[in-house]
Amino acid sequence: MGQVSRSRRRRYEMATYVILSRFSPEAFAEPKDFIKLADAVSSRIKKDCKGVTWKQSFATLGRFDVVDIVEADDPKDIERAVMIIRSHGHSITETLVATPWKEFLAAL
Protein backbone atom coordinates (compact mmCIF):
# COMPACT_ATOMS: atom_id res chain seq x y z
CA MET A 1 0.00 0.00 0.00
CA GLY A 2 2.94 2.34 0.62
CA GLN A 3 4.25 1.81 -2.91
CA VAL A 4 2.71 3.75 -5.80
CA SER A 5 1.89 1.60 -8.82
CA ARG A 6 4.08 1.97 -11.90
CA SER A 7 1.20 3.33 -13.98
CA ARG A 8 0.46 6.06 -11.40
CA ARG A 9 4.14 7.12 -11.24
CA ARG A 10 4.51 7.25 -15.01
CA ARG A 11 4.57 10.72 -16.54
CA TYR A 12 2.65 11.25 -19.73
CA GLU A 13 4.60 11.68 -22.95
CA MET A 14 3.94 14.75 -25.09
CA ALA A 15 1.12 13.87 -27.46
CA THR A 16 -0.31 15.67 -30.47
CA TYR A 17 -4.05 16.33 -30.67
CA VAL A 18 -6.27 17.62 -33.45
CA ILE A 19 -9.23 19.66 -32.22
CA LEU A 20 -12.00 20.10 -34.80
CA SER A 21 -14.49 22.87 -34.01
CA ARG A 22 -17.79 23.95 -35.53
CA PHE A 23 -19.34 27.25 -34.44
CA SER A 24 -22.84 27.43 -33.08
CA PRO A 25 -25.10 29.81 -35.04
CA GLU A 26 -25.45 31.78 -31.78
CA ALA A 27 -21.67 32.18 -31.32
CA PHE A 28 -21.48 35.63 -32.93
CA ALA A 29 -23.75 37.98 -34.88
CA GLU A 30 -21.23 39.41 -37.34
CA PRO A 31 -18.09 37.76 -38.74
CA LYS A 32 -15.92 40.53 -37.24
CA ASP A 33 -17.33 39.64 -33.79
CA PHE A 34 -15.48 36.34 -34.10
CA ILE A 35 -12.15 38.10 -33.51
CA LYS A 36 -13.23 39.14 -29.99
CA LEU A 37 -14.61 35.68 -29.28
CA ALA A 38 -11.41 33.98 -30.49
CA ASP A 39 -9.25 36.30 -28.38
CA ALA A 40 -11.35 35.63 -25.27
CA VAL A 41 -11.21 31.84 -25.74
CA SER A 42 -7.46 31.93 -26.46
CA SER A 43 -6.78 34.03 -23.34
CA ARG A 44 -8.82 31.70 -21.16
CA ILE A 45 -7.02 28.60 -22.48
CA LYS A 46 -3.59 30.22 -21.96
CA LYS A 47 -4.56 31.07 -18.37
CA ASP A 48 -6.21 27.76 -17.42
CA CYS A 49 -4.36 25.21 -19.59
CA LYS A 50 -0.66 25.95 -19.22
CA GLY A 51 0.25 22.41 -20.29
CA VAL A 52 -1.23 22.88 -23.77
CA THR A 53 0.99 24.15 -26.57
CA TRP A 54 -0.77 25.48 -29.64
CA LYS A 55 1.15 24.47 -32.78
CA GLN A 56 -1.15 25.70 -35.57
CA SER A 57 -4.72 26.69 -36.28
CA PHE A 58 -6.52 26.61 -39.61
CA ALA A 59 -9.85 28.02 -40.79
CA THR A 60 -11.48 25.40 -42.98
CA LEU A 61 -14.36 25.12 -45.40
CA GLY A 62 -16.44 22.06 -44.77
CA ARG A 63 -17.90 20.19 -41.84
CA PHE A 64 -15.66 22.00 -39.33
CA ASP A 65 -14.81 25.71 -39.15
CA VAL A 66 -11.48 25.44 -37.32
CA VAL A 67 -8.75 22.81 -37.04
CA ASP A 68 -6.29 23.28 -34.17
CA ILE A 69 -3.10 21.25 -33.79
CA VAL A 70 -1.97 21.18 -30.15
CA GLU A 71 0.40 19.27 -27.89
CA ALA A 72 0.14 18.31 -24.25
CA ASP A 73 1.72 15.82 -21.91
CA ASP A 74 -1.46 15.34 -19.87
CA PRO A 75 -4.81 14.51 -21.53
CA LYS A 76 -6.59 16.36 -18.71
CA ASP A 77 -5.16 19.64 -20.06
CA ILE A 78 -6.67 18.89 -23.47
CA GLU A 79 -10.01 18.01 -21.90
CA ARG A 80 -10.01 21.35 -20.05
CA ALA A 81 -9.08 23.28 -23.24
CA VAL A 82 -11.82 21.58 -25.24
CA MET A 83 -14.42 22.39 -22.60
CA ILE A 84 -13.37 26.05 -22.74
CA ILE A 85 -13.75 26.02 -26.54
CA ARG A 86 -17.18 24.45 -26.18
CA SER A 87 -18.49 26.70 -23.43
CA HIS A 88 -16.84 30.05 -24.13
CA GLY A 89 -16.43 29.59 -27.87
CA HIS A 90 -19.97 28.29 -28.38
CA SER A 91 -18.63 25.44 -30.49
CA ILE A 92 -19.11 21.75 -31.03
CA THR A 93 -15.78 19.93 -31.00
CA GLU A 94 -14.27 16.61 -31.90
CA THR A 95 -10.79 15.77 -30.61
CA LEU A 96 -8.40 13.24 -32.11
CA VAL A 97 -5.07 11.93 -30.90
CA ALA A 98 -2.57 12.17 -33.76
CA THR A 99 0.44 9.87 -34.12
CA PRO A 100 3.23 10.90 -36.50
CA TRP A 101 3.10 8.58 -39.51
CA LYS A 102 6.62 7.14 -39.04
CA GLU A 103 5.93 6.39 -35.37
CA PHE A 104 2.66 4.71 -36.32
CA LEU A 105 4.36 2.49 -38.90
CA ALA A 106 7.20 1.64 -36.50
CA ALA A 107 4.67 0.40 -33.93
CA LEU A 108 3.15 -2.12 -36.34
Side-chain angles (χ1 to χ4, degrees):
M1 195 147 138
Q3 189 173 14
V4 177
S5 73
R6 175 181 266 179
S7 63
R8 292 190 70 202
R9 281 186 286 150
R10 168 182 161 274
R11 290 193 44 86
Y12 294 102
E13 292 181 25
M14 187 68 76
T16 301
Y17 297 86
V18 178
I19 302 172
L20 307 169
S21 301
R22 184 173 50 237
F23 306 131
S24 162
E26 297 82 29
F28 46 91
E30 295 292 325
K32 289 195 179 233
D33 293 341
F34 175 69
I35 295 169
K36 287 188 269 186
L37 179 63
D39 286 344
V41 170
S42 178
S43 294
R44 180 73 186 260
I45 290 172
K46 285 177 186 173
K47 177 181 165 248
D48 293 348
C49 308
K50 295 192 187 321
V52 176
T53 302
W54 237 257
K55 302 309 272 182
Q56 287 190 306
S57 296
F58 301 92
T60 59
L61 302 174
R63 187 171 140 205
F64 294 97
D65 299 307
V66 177
V67 175
D68 294 307
I69 311 297
V70 301
E71 290 181 342
D73 59 358
D74 187 344
K76 297 291 183 198
D77 288 329
I78 296 297
E79 292 168 359
R80 191 176 304 110
V82 168
M83 292 309 294
I84 290 169
I85 292 169
R86 287 180 177 196
S87 62
H88 296 283
H90 308 283
S91 295
I92 295 169
T93 63
E94 186 173 330
T95 305
L96 310 168
V97 177
T99 302
W101 189 248
K102 288 182 181 181
E103 288 179 29
F104 172 74
L105 292 177
L108 299 179

